[in-house]
Amino acid sequence: MTREEKATVIEDLTAQLADNPNIYLADISGLDAVTTSNLRRACFKANIKLAVVKNTLLAKAMEASDKEFGELPEVLKGNTSLMLSETGNAPAKLIKNFRKKSDKPLLKGAFIEEAVYIGDENLDSLVNIKSKEEVIGDIIGLLQSPAKNVISGLKSGGGKLAGIIKTLSER
């Protein structure tokens, strides 16, 4: 690989790191061709971009990035695959689900919305992270609950002024 080709790869990786808020580093070494193909297919279906990267080039891209990756460059040893996703917990769910059939991929580290996670022991924590859409849905549900109670109480009062006042005074 020439110096110009390396520079191009580093630029591409830097752009990908900048464009994606959720970055996972995984070890998929030792997977046979069929299992690797199944993993790639599962990533495609889950809208996760999977790419095998050279550690030195990824480390240089991390240095060139505006993001603060903390200790994440330190896990760039051995085989490293980059998993990029719009949803913070999607790669973690995919890894956990995939490991029901295989002992790989192993989570090396993750960068989720400016938080850094190092090591495979954080996989369960990453699976439980809620996406922005899930948090917004939970908040809307909580806000709608009191309004639904008042409306149902008013409807049960029979629609007459005395029933409505009685229902409101009970609540």
Side-chain angles (χ1 to χ4, degrees):
M1 185 179 277
T2 66
R3 180 171 285 163
E4 292 80 22
E5 291 172 333
K6 287 180 182 179
T8 304
V9 170
I10 291 170
E11 286 177 25
D12 291 344
L13 284 172
T14 304
Q16 289 178 5
L17 294 177
D19 292 344
N20 291 286
N22 306 302
I23 301 161
Y24 281 70
L25 301 177
D27 178 6
I28 63 170
S29 64
L31 294 180
D32 61 17
V34 173
T35 311
T36 302
S37 178
N38 290 339
L39 177 63
R40 288 188 180 279
R41 189 175 299 110
C43 286
F44 179 78
K45 287 179 181 177
N47 201 22
I48 299 169
K49 184 176 179 187
L50 176 68
V52 177
V53 294
K54 287 191 169 243
N55 292 331
T56 55
L57 299 180
L58 182 57
K60 288 182 181 182
M62 286 180 171
E63 287 175 20
S65 174
D66 294 337
K67 296 180 179 177
E68 179 56 45
F69 290 103
E71 300 172 12
L72 208 53
E74 295 172 15
V75 301
L76 296 175
K77 295 177 179 83
N79 185 304
T80 302
S81 296
L82 185 64
M83 299 175 89
L84 305 170
S85 173
E86 289 295 320
T87 308
N89 63 358
K93 286 181 177 179
L94 186 134
I95 290 171
K96 188 166 182 152
N97 189 34
F98 206 78
R99 291 217 321 229
K100 291 177 182 174
K101 301 173 189 166
S102 175
D103 60 340
K104 298 263 178 142
L106 294 175
L107 178 68
K108 289 180 157 190
F111 179 85
I112 312 295
E113 308 269 346
E114 300 182 16
V116 176
Y117 299 85
I118 304 292
D120 196 57
E121 63 275 0
N122 289 311
L123 186 61
D124 289 330
S125 301
L126 292 169
V127 167
N128 294 327
I129 289 177
K130 290 189 176 189
S131 68
K132 289 180 185 177
E133 292 80 14
E134 291 171 327
V135 171
I136 290 170
D138 288 349
I139 291 171
I140 290 172
L142 291 171
L143 293 174
Q144 286 180 341
S145 180
K148 286 180 181 178
N149 289 340
V150 170
I151 291 170
S152 67
L154 293 176
K155 286 181 180 177
S156 69
K160 297 181 180 170
L161 188 57
I164 292 172
I165 293 173
K166 180 181 176 195
T167 302
L168 289 175
S169 66
E170 291 173 357
R171 299 243 179 226

